[in-house]
Amino acid sequence: MSKLKTKRAAAKRFRFTGTGKALRNKAYHRHGLTDQPKKNKVEQRKTVLVAAADVRMVKRMLPYGS
């Protein structure tokens, strides 16, 4: 069986916890930050779990990540 390739774009956006759950960064934190309340900006710094419906796709893009 040949080796699988990692999708490099996905490798830059997702990572896995020690138990195999997929993490992602929150959106809307690149520009236009002066128009947002500070509470939103602080909340966007955190990482969150990938939605359950998308985990299978992320694991397929990162075959050696989890």
Side-chain angles (χ1 to χ4, degrees):
M1 188 172 151
S2 62
K3 292 195 287 186
L4 300 172
K5 283 196 170 184
T6 296
K7 297 283 187 227
R8 298 310 298 161
K12 296 165 189 174
R13 288 166 173 80
F14 303 104
R15 61 192 178 89
F16 291 97
T17 64
T19 55
K21 295 176 182 173
L23 295 173
R24 67 170 177 84
N25 291 320
K26 291 191 175 179
Y28 306 111
H29 199 63
R30 293 289 183 193
H31 54 79
L33 299 176
T34 55
D35 299 331
Q36 295 182 24
K38 184 166 186 172
K39 184 178 180 183
N40 282 13
K41 293 187 280 189
V42 170
E43 196 62 31
Q44 288 162 358
R45 290 179 207 154
K46 302 174 185 175
T47 56
V48 290
L49 292 175
V50 173
D54 299 324
V55 170
R56 186 172 165 215
M57 178 177 58
V58 171
K59 287 188 175 183
R60 193 172 286 172
M61 290 188 287
L62 302 171
Y64 304 106
S66 60

